[in-house]
């Protein structure tokens, strides 16, 4: 996942045609400007002139104004509330850190100018990954990232069994990663020969997941993590060789142009590559992905990529799905706010109800990919929200970033504020799911089977709830593993005329739950208050100070507890 800051590129030279191989496009200055797709539209968009985008016919045009005017979020997305997707690919083979292909080539700290430029992909923790790689696999001149491809042997991969488990966990949609930042496609790709069908496992990963998901009648999601704003600059950007030691001067494998299809073109300065060529190739690959696999949800790990090419992808995706009534029953998510595209909030929360539906993606395991017992989880390990995120006693077990209790709490918080959760679960390279993760998923499913009425198909109440915890009070981004709800934190949802009161932590056996928000003025005419888990009616009183519910003698759930309120 992305840990990149946002930058604007101020171009000082015009770009009127594609450059020759190895030629830089223009001198550029990088200026921090939050919210921009690194300013590369000025470099990319001219290549769209005369390009045959061949988008599906329909009302959507490749402009943000068209998306805002025509797109409305489909009800199915607002109803499902909880889905599961997976980081599974070459990163699962390498282990140790999720951005292995970015980190492994950094054998030394770059000079101060390059170190200050975050587009280089350098992080201090990269040096540990390089040391780990040399020790366990060999020098990058002899064993590069490409050499993990033949080692990927998913002989325990059973998508039907995994989808069945995810259904047991309460997932209403299931997703698969089609390509990570490493540029290796996990489907039958016409425009990227470096793919999982032609190499390595010789498996159409996306197709296998799609078929298994469709057999269960679920919605199908695809995530794409390849984009100009991250892969094009940050991956495979280290030095060309060791500066010192016995292998000094021996080029790393990514300097061999025979592997440019995976590693990209290395040009002088390394920071600027061939953006128009990249954008055209990205467009063709992504359009083929949409046309072949027809996802209900298409997730981009960042802004809408590649300028005009990304806007044409959005228009094509929407037009292709729009039905005879004019409805567009698909969802596209990006990590920048634009009307007409659903916003994804990676591993983060919001303080209040959002006007538009949104997605929060998070991870049950540290590292996004399954990284094994030797993962680098130290501070600054380089994966968003992953360092320091291990919970519980993990001796002899695969490590958790979020346990079932945390996931249930976070889900309730997200749903109360008009959001949907998509939970990442990393698989081992062999395709098996660690039992540690499976156990937590079963616990989530058990809770949802009892309390799902307060989650699925619900809408926010007048207010999200009450209590002291605010996500904004936490420092940094990607911090949902640090959420700390109390017995004073309460969340609300509504469905079919009922109001659901969700107590995030148990106040105590036989205690009185005081819901300050639900005064006689706020919610008049209460007819009943029911413990959702048992179906038993509870005693209650209401006054100007709120609603007072006498709780059962014992907690009905090990996690959040739910009370259903009906009115006359």
């Amino acid at each position: 996942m992305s840990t990149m800051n946002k930058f604007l590129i101020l171009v000082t030279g015009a770009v009127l045609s594609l450059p020759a191989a190895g030629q830089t496009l223009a001198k550029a200055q990088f200026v921090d400007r939050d919210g921009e797709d690194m300013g590369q539209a000025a470099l990319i968009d001219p290549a769209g002139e005369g390009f045959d985008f061949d988008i599906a016919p329909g009302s959507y045009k490749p402009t943000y104004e068209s998306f805002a005017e025509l797109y409305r979020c489909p009800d199915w997305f607002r109803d499902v509330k909880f889905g599961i997707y997976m980081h599974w690919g070459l990163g699962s083979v390498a282990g140790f850190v999720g951005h292995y292909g970015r980190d492994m080539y950094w054998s030394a700290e770059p000079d101060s100018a390059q170190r200050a430029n975050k587009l280089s992909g350098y992080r201090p923790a990269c040096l540990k990954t390089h040391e780990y790689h040399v020790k366990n696999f060999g020098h990058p001149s002899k064993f590069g990232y490409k050499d993990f491809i033949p080692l990927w042997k998913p002989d325990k991969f059973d998508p039907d069994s995994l989808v069945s488990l995810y259904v047991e966990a309460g997932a209403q949609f299931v997703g698969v990663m089609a390509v990570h930042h490493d540029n290796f496609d996990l489907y039958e790709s016409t425009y990227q020969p470096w793919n999982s069908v032609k190499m390595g496992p010789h498996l159409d990963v996306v197709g296998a997941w799609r078929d298994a998901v469709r057999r269960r009648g679920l919605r199908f999601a695809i995530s794409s993590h390849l984009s100009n704003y991250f892969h094009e600059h940050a991956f495979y950007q280290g030095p060309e060789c060791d500066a010192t030691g016995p292998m000094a001067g021996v080029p790393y494998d990514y300097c061999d142009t025979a592997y440019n299809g995976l590693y990209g073109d290395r040009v002088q300065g390394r920071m600027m590559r061939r953006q128009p060529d990249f954008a055209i190739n990205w467009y063709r690959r992504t359009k083929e992905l949409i046309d072949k696999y027809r996802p209900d949800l298409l997730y981009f790990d960042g802004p809408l990529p590649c300028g005009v090419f990304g806007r044409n992808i959005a228009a094509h995706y929407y037009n292709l799905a729009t039905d005879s009534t004019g409805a567009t029953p698909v969802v596209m998510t990006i990590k920048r706010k634009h009307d007409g595209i659903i916003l994804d909030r990676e591993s983060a929360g919001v303080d209040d109800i959002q006007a538009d539906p949104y997605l929060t993606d998070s991870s049950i395991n540290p590292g996004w990919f399954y990284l094994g017992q030797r993962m680098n989880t130290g501070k600054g390990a380089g994966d968003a929200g992953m360092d320091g995120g291990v919970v519980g006693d993990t001796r002899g077990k695969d490590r958790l970033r979020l346990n079932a209790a945390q996931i249930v709490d976070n889900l309730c918080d997200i749903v109360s504020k008009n959001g949907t959760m998509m939970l990442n679960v990393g698989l081992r390279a062999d395709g098996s799911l660690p039992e540690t993760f499976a156990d937590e998923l079963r616990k989530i499913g058990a809770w949802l089977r009892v309390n799902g009425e307060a989650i699925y198909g619900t809408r926010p109440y007048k207010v999200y709830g009450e209590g002291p915890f605010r996500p904004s009070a936490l420092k940094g981004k990607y911090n949902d593993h640090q959420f700390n709800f109390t017995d004073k934190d309460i969340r609300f949802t509504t469905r079919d005329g009922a109001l659901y009161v969700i107590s995030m932590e148990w106040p105590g056996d036989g205690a009185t739950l005081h819901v300050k928000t639900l005064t006689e003025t706020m919610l008049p005419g209460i007819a009943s208050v029911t413990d959702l888990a048992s179906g038993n009616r509870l005693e209650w009183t209401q006054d100007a100070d709120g609603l007072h519910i006498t709780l059962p003698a014992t907690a009905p759930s090990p996690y959040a507890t739910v009370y259903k309120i009906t009115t006359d």
Side-chain angles (χ1 to χ4, degrees), residues 453-454 457-462 492-500:
E453 180 182 329
T458 62
R459 298 293 184 267
Y461 184 52
K462 303 173 188 177
F492 302 137
T493 62
T494 62
R495 174 179 168 179
D496 298 332
L499 171 64
Y500 299 91

Side-chain angles (χ1 to χ4, degrees), residues 36-103:
E36 297 290 338
D37 184 9
M38 294 169 55
Q40 292 183 91
L43 298 173
I44 293 169
D45 285 1
E49 297 178 11
F51 181 80
D52 183 9
F53 289 102
D54 189 29
I55 69 171
S59 300
Y60 287 94
K61 308 302 179 187
T63 66
Y64 288 117
E65 292 77 12
S66 178
F67 308 152
E69 177 187 357
L70 298 176
Y71 183 78
R72 299 294 180 269
C73 179
D75 283 341
W76 74 258
F77 179 74
R78 302 193 69 193
D79 291 341
V80 291
K81 302 304 183 185
F82 180 57
I84 292 174
Y85 82 126
M86 290 135 288
H87 277 62
W88 187 52
L90 292 187
S92 310
V93 182
F96 194 67
V97 67
H99 290 157
Y100 198 96
R102 181 191 70 188
D103 295 4

Side-chain angles (χ1 to χ4, degrees), residues 88 154-159 162 203-205 208-209 427 430-432:
W88 187 52
D155 50 5
K156 296 182 180 179
F157 177 54
D158 184 349
L162 289 168
L203 172 68
D204 184 349
V205 175
W209 277 110
L427 303 181
D430 65 10
S432 62

Side-chain angles (χ1 to χ4, degrees), residues 213-266:
V213 172
R214 296 298 190 205
R215 279 192 285 269
R216 293 303 299 262
L218 302 178
R219 298 285 180 173
F220 177 57
I222 289 178
S223 72
S224 174
H225 305 254
L226 183 68
S227 69
N228 58 302
Y229 94 109
F230 190 39
H231 163 79
E232 174 72 0
H233 293 280
F235 259 59
Y236 316 124
Q237 288 282 19
E240 295 181 356
C241 59
D242 292 357
T244 60
M247 300 296 286
V250 179
Y252 298 157
D253 74 317
Y254 61 15
C255 295
D256 189 334
T257 58
Y259 308 131
N260 276 8
L262 179 64
Y263 295 139
D265 300 319
R266 291 178 63 81

Side-chain angles (χ1 to χ4, degrees), residues 365-380:
N365 56 284
W368 298 104
F369 289 94
Y370 172 78
L371 302 179
Q373 291 291 317
R374 294 185 293 178
M375 72 176 73
N376 181 12
T377 55
K379 184 174 178 57

